Amino acid sequence: MKDGENEHGNAQSPSVPNVTTRTEFDFIDQLRQRATLQAHSSQTIQLLKLGIGDDAAVVHSSAVKDTVIATDLLIEGIDFRRNTAPANLLGHKALAVSLSDIAAMGARPRWSLISLGVPDDVWQSSFANDFYEGLFHLAGQYDVQLIGGDTSRTPEQIVIDSIVIGECPIDRAIERSGAQPGDQIFVTGALGGAAGGLRLIERGAHLADQNFSANETQALDHLLLRHLQPEPRIGWGMVLGQERLANSMIDISDGLSSDLNHICLESRVGALIHSSLLPIDVQVVELCGRRALDPLQLALHGGEDFELLFTVRPDAVAKLPRRVDGVGITHIGEIRDGSEGVKISEGTRVWELQPGGWKHF
Ligand code: ADP
Ligand code: MG
């Protein structure tokens, strides 16, 4: 939407929140309804398998394959700060966040389009060279090819738009909407590291920070890199998709609490997770715990871990591999009936797990 336009279209109903009270999710829902209504009359609807509302869109491309498309925006001052995010790591992250959405569909990433808007002083610096150094390095790791983009000047801030196109065998994309009561909930890797790293950066920590003791330096770098250089779980995504092991999946970009709520909302189910099972990053427990940052809160609500959160039918649990690309998984709870809501247990206490992650608006 451009400045001066607004979204008051024919598709609005009286229950739609007004401009001042709506959240990012209300806004996306409105777009989703409007896009669905508009496409009904055209042939494009026949090619579209999944539109707005998941980690990526899925379109029919051949008798054997579907095409999967995701896009992400990184804005200076909101998603990163120029003085704390080295340009090569920013290039890595710009691609990684979209690769993660492709992984969350169980698909294989193939092509990338990157658009870059930078102010003049950044253009005169080594920023763009360093940015693409990091980006090409990650692209090479997963055999992803840069096939296009756009370059422009901005008045002040760096703006990055990253699109990734992937593929999966026909009808194998894993949507957010496939979870059913009785499914077991799993997460790859560890949680809370990216949010812990961000909090420490906000308090002035740097990579290989000399102000920390030798033992802490490695642990600190690990946490900072969880925020600055996330690793998309491509291998796990493809295994879960191709072998039909997961029936719903999302990547943890907003935070476990928000992203689990997205799965439950789309699948019309409830969930119960057990706090004692959560794989909280050990460095979060060590470093953040000592600095009055609550590890459980970081693991539940901290965003940008880019781990995969997925559900598995009880009879498929035994078929799950233990590790893929050296990354393990953890069972954290189970899907319940929708009437039970989304809950977390700690010992004998059970409470509602409100989505507490990152919201733009
Ligand atoms: P993710 O965190 O997985 O990147 P988002 O929360 O950004 O997902 O987006 C959720 C869904 O809403 C996706 O299908 C995305 O394509 C769609 N979406 C977000 N913003 C817009 C927009 N401005 N116009 C159309 N679709 C949008
Ligand atoms: Mg996502």
Side-chain angles (χ1 to χ4, degrees), residues 5-334:
E5 279 182 349
N6 67 43
E7 80 306 332
H8 289 290
N10 313 335
Q12 282 211 330
S13 73
S15 63
V16 169
N18 69 34
V19 173
T20 50
T21 58
R22 71 175 175 204
T23 65
E24 179 190 348
F25 304 118
D26 298 330
F27 174 66
I28 291 171
D29 257 353
Q30 289 168 36
L31 290 175
R32 185 178 181 175
Q33 286 171 31
R34 192 165 175 176
T36 311
L37 285 175
Q38 190 187 31
H40 256 298
S41 55
S42 76
Q43 279 196 330
T44 49
I45 194 83
Q46 292 168 6
L47 297 174
L48 182 69
K49 292 192 165 178
L50 182 65
I52 294 172
D54 215 297
D55 292 288
V58 182
V59 291
H60 174 83
S61 60
S62 79
V64 290
K65 277 180 189 163
D66 288 330
T67 298
V68 181
I69 309 162
T71 182
D72 286 283
L73 198 53
L74 293 181
I75 306 282
E76 182 183 352
I78 304 292
D79 300 290
F80 66 92
R81 293 190 196 285
R82 207 186 300 180
N83 55 356
T84 55
N88 62 326
L89 300 188
L90 197 55
H92 171 108
K93 187 165 178 174
L95 179 60
V97 296
S98 303
L99 291 182
S100 178
D101 278 326
I102 299 292
M105 304 305 294
R108 173 195 288 275
R110 292 276 190 208
W111 301 283
S112 153
L113 296 104
I114 297 286
S115 298
L116 194 57
V118 292
D120 214 29
D121 59 317
V122 171
W123 183 252
Q124 309 291 341
S125 74
S126 65
F127 174 87
N129 284 352
D130 297 343
F131 177 90
Y132 279 99
E133 203 54 50
L135 190 138
F136 276 116
H137 187 261
L138 180 63
Q141 261 176 271
Y142 293 108
D143 195 19
V144 169
Q145 192 177 3
L146 182 69
I147 59 164
D150 197 8
T151 309
S152 186
R153 184 159 53 153
T154 60
E156 279 177 58
Q157 259 110 28
I158 301 169
V159 176
I160 304 155
D161 179 54
S162 166
I163 296 172
V164 171
I165 302 170
E167 293 177 322
C168 65
I170 192 159
D171 292 332
R172 291 283 176 91
I174 305 174
E175 304 183 10
R176 294 176 180 180
S177 57
Q180 289 176 357
D183 290 349
Q184 301 301 301
I185 307 173
F186 288 84
V187 66
T188 60
L191 299 175
L198 174 60
R199 299 296 186 285
L200 296 174
I201 288 171
E202 285 168 349
R203 294 175 179 198
H206 309 276
L207 286 172
D209 198 317
Q210 300 309 315
N211 291 326
F212 285 74
S213 73
N215 276 352
E216 283 194 334
T217 302
Q218 242 189 334
L220 179 70
D221 276 4
H222 161 82
L223 285 189
L224 302 192
L225 288 171
R226 288 286 290 163
H227 169 68
L228 295 169
Q229 192 181 29
E231 290 304 330
R233 301 307 187 197
I234 310 282
W236 265 111
M238 284 170 49
V239 166
L240 295 170
Q242 287 174 4
E243 298 180 23
R244 291 188 198 257
L245 291 169
N247 56 8
S248 79
M249 181 146 65
I250 190 169
D251 68 326
I252 301 184
S253 55
D254 295 338
L256 174 66
S257 58
S258 287
D259 291 315
L260 178 60
N261 268 281
H262 287 315
I263 284 195
C264 290
L265 208 66
E266 292 295 327
S267 300
R268 298 166 193 271
V269 294
L272 177 65
I273 62 168
H274 308 285
S275 67
S276 61
L277 297 180
L278 291 177
I280 304 179
D281 194 309
V282 286
Q283 314 294 14
V284 170
V285 177
E286 295 260 312
L287 279 185
C288 297
R290 257 184 276 154
R291 288 172 176 78
L293 292 164
D294 182 351
L296 179 61
Q297 293 300 310
L298 292 171
L300 283 177
H301 307 300
E304 298 211 318
D305 280 321
F306 295 107
E307 297 295 350
L308 297 176
L309 174 68
F310 58 96
T311 60
V312 181
R313 279 196 331 269
D315 61 329
V317 167
K319 297 183 196 143
L320 288 169
R322 294 169 76 88
R323 301 180 88 76
V324 173
D325 297 339
V327 177
I329 50 173
T330 307
H331 171 239
I332 60 168
E334 53 274 333

